Amino acid sequence: MSHTFGVRQAQKQRTRQALMDAALALLEEQSLSSLGLREVTRAVGVAPTAFYRHFRSTADLGVALVEEALGSLHPVLGDLMSAVGDNDELIQRAVELIARHVDAYPAHVRFIARERHGGVQSVREAIQGQLARFTEEVRTELGKRPETAGWSDDDRSMLAGLYVDQMLATASLFLEAHDGPEAERDRVTRLAGSRMRLISIGCRHWLD
């Protein structure tokens, strides 16, 4: 009995993932607000009614895609922020991390970039919730750094938000350069590093 239940659960999870993968592929060319569940189920080869065994709506599916796209990045960001090294080394690691993530998951990055200000409220809120978590995690790590000694929590939150916003902007730039010449990727790498160094310089002189 337990074996049969396990097989059914595994099949259910495969179907759920197939629906998410199909939706993500369809969203390469359109926004979530225009996506129909029949398009998704047709791409997977299941009946439209099967969709509701996994998601309440396409908005609910979109929220699951947000979790898939951003949820796994929290421990990665934590490792980056707690890494030891001088400022330039940490900035270089951050830019390389963003570039690798865009190379590995371009569809996820494009989905977040489009839906962050898109027409589906629950998805916007899910993205903002994830970004707020990133900001809080960065703020916590910044509190351990000597360069923010004497700062208020509000100031650390502001700095953390600047870093998170810059990471998103860098991801969008790498996405635009994804299939372009290497020279364009190099330009994005230099620009991203310069912007983060500028934030860092401002950080060191904030209390002057």
Side-chain angles (χ1 to χ4, degrees), residues 173-174 176-178 180-190:
L173 289 173
F174 274 122
E176 292 174 7
H178 186 251
E182 192 64 28
E184 179 61 15
R185 288 175 60 86
D186 289 343
R187 185 191 72 80
V188 171
T189 299
R190 290 193 301 272

Side-chain angles (χ1 to χ4, degrees), residues 24-120:
L24 194 62
L26 290 166
L27 289 169
E28 291 272 5
E29 305 296 334
Q30 61 182 306
S31 66
L32 183 65
S33 60
S34 66
L35 182 69
L37 69 86
R38 288 181 180 275
E39 290 180 83
V40 179
T41 54
R42 188 182 307 118
V44 176
V46 298
T49 53
F51 180 92
Y52 294 106
R53 298 189 194 118
H54 305 277
F55 304 102
R56 296 185 299 273
S57 63
T58 54
D60 187 37
L61 183 150
V63 171
L65 286 174
V66 171
E67 175 62 31
E68 182 177 71
L70 296 178
S72 63
L73 285 176
H74 291 284
V76 176
L77 181 62
D79 289 344
L80 174 66
M81 290 299 299
S82 62
V84 176
D86 65 33
N87 193 60
D88 284 346
E89 288 175 336
L90 294 176
I91 287 173
Q92 181 180 354
R93 287 181 202 172
V95 174
E96 289 173 352
L97 170 67
I98 296 166
R100 287 198 302 271
H101 186 74
V102 172
D103 285 343
Y105 306 103
H108 284 97
V109 175
R110 186 174 293 109
F111 168 72
I112 295 298
R114 177 180 288 151
E115 299 301 329
R116 184 184 180 189
H117 303 292
V120 181

Side-chain angles (χ1 to χ4, degrees), residues 101-151:
H101 186 74
V102 172
D103 285 343
Y105 306 103
H108 284 97
V109 175
R110 186 174 293 109
F111 168 72
I112 295 298
R114 177 180 288 151
E115 299 301 329
R116 184 184 180 189
H117 303 292
V120 181
Q121 181 177 352
S122 59
V123 173
R124 290 199 312 272
E125 291 173 349
I127 293 171
Q128 290 306 313
Q130 289 286 345
L131 297 182
R133 278 186 60 195
F134 285 131
T135 299
E136 177 58 23
E137 289 160 5
V138 173
R139 185 199 65 78
T140 298
E141 289 300 326
L142 287 173
K144 303 172 185 177
R145 301 281 181 86
E147 57 265 34
T148 65
W151 286 40

